[in-house]
Amino acid sequence: MNSVINEKEIVSYIKELVTIPSPSGYTEQAIAYVAGCMENKKVLFQITNKGALLATIKGKDDSQHRLLTAHVDTLGAMVKEIKASGRLKLTMVGGFRWNAVEGEYCKIHTAEGKIYTGTILIHQTSVHVYKNAGEVKRDDDNIEVRIDEVVKTKEDAELLGISVGDFISFEPRVEESESGFLKSRHLDDKASVGILLHIIDQIQAGHIELAHTTHFLISNNEEIGYGGNSNIPVKTVEYLAVDMGAIGDGQATDEYSVSICAKDSSGPYNYKLRQQLVSLAKENDVDYRVDIYPFYGSDASAAIRAGFDVVHGLIGPGIDASHAYERTHITALKHTAHLLALYLQSKLV
Ligand SMILES: [Zn+2]
C-alpha cells in the first residue's frame, strides 16, 4: 500500500473543516479556508461565480485532464418565520429528518453578521407539560429554535437583528475516539475535502506524481443537487466525485473501507472507471467495497445530467448514520486516500 498517506493529517484537516459553519448557500467561510490552504501549498486556483473553488495541478500528460471533486457545503436550515413567542420556525437546507437534529445546539447567523446560539427543539418538549411529547410529529410546524437571549416576543427577536432568511448551522459535535473513530455531523463531505487537501500536500511534496493534469473542484452546492455541474475545464475526460459511502441494511459499505459506487439513484457510474478503481485497490491491498446507494446522487451524476461528456465515478469513505449523527473510522479515510493516490498516478481508462 502507498505509504505517503498520513491519516492523522487528514483528521486534523477534517476537524478544522467541520467547525466552520457552511450550510449550502452560506459557504464563503469554508471556501476561504480551503483557499488559504491552496495559497500555503502554492497551488493555483480560482473561485467560480457560484462560489466553488477550482484548483489545478499540472501532470505528465497535459492533453487529457482529470477532475476530482468533494463538497464543503453541509446540511443546515434557514429562519422561515419568527413566532409570536419569539421562537423561530425553520425551513431545511438539504435533505434530512427533523428527528436527526432535534435537541441539537445551533447558531443563528444574522444578516448583519451577528451570531446567536440556540437549541432546536420540538415545541412540545417538556414531558412535565405535554403528555404527548413522544408522539408529536417532528415537522416544520412543531420544530422551533429556542434562542439563548431574553426573547419573549417576535419584536424581541427582531431587535436582536434576527430575520426571515437567516442561516442556521448545526453544532458539528466533532470527537475522535482512541479506538480510531471520528464523529461529527458534517463528515459528509468534509471528510473527503480533508482527504483531498492531504493528497494535494503529498503532490506538492513530490510524493505523488500526477499522470494527468488534475483539477480539484471543492464544490459548495452538492446537498441541494448542483454543486459540480459547471466550470468543468474543457480538457477534462474523467470526473471522479469523492463523497461518503452509504451504510445500512443490505449495504456492503462499512466504516473501515473505501466504498466504490456502482450505481445510485442517477443510474450506473462508468463501468470501465469502476473496474480500474477495483483493480487498483485489489493489486495494492486497499480495502474496498463495491456498493449501490438506493437514495443518493453526487456531483458526478449532476455533471452528467448537465450534459458534460465525461467518464464519471464516485468513491468515498463509508459514513454511518449519514445526514444525522455521522461516524467513520480512520481506516476508511486511509483506504480512500490510498486509492486516490494510486488513481492519480495511473493512466486514464
Ligand atoms: Zn455528500
Side-chain angles (χ1 to χ4, degrees), residues 71 188-189 222-223 243-244 296 323:
H71 65 92
D188 173 15
D189 185 29
E222 193 277 344
E223 294 295 356
D243 207 339
M244 49 144 255
Y296 197 112
H323 285 197

Side-chain angles (χ1 to χ4, degrees), residues 267-282:
Y269 283 84
N270 184 276
Y271 190 36
K272 272 192 183 161
L273 178 56
R274 192 233 294 182
Q275 284 178 311
Q276 186 195 7
L277 292 163
V278 167
S279 57
L280 283 171
K282 263 189 193 157

Side-chain angles (χ1 to χ4, degrees), residues 22-98:
S22 59
S24 311
Y26 193 75
T27 52
E28 236 174 84
Q29 220 189 320
I31 289 291
Y33 168 83
V34 177
C37 293
M38 295 300 174
E39 276 162 13
N40 291 339
K41 300 175 204 307
K42 308 214 177 330
V43 174
L44 290 178
F45 67 91
Q46 64 180 94
I47 307 288
T48 70
N49 292 328
K50 275 185 184 174
L53 184 146
L54 181 66
T56 302
I57 306 178
K58 228 175 167 189
K60 276 189 256 175
D61 180 346
D62 189 41
S63 64
Q64 290 183 302
H65 296 185
R66 277 196 167 109
L67 186 145
L68 296 191
T69 186
H71 65 92
V72 285
D73 61 312
T74 68
L75 303 172
M78 202 181 249
V79 177
K80 195 234 153 222
E81 182 183 328
I82 305 175
K83 294 167 100 169
S85 63
R87 298 212 172 180
L88 310 172
K89 270 200 180 188
L90 300 178
T91 179
M92 288 181 187
V93 173
F96 57 98
R97 300 279 177 267
W98 283 126

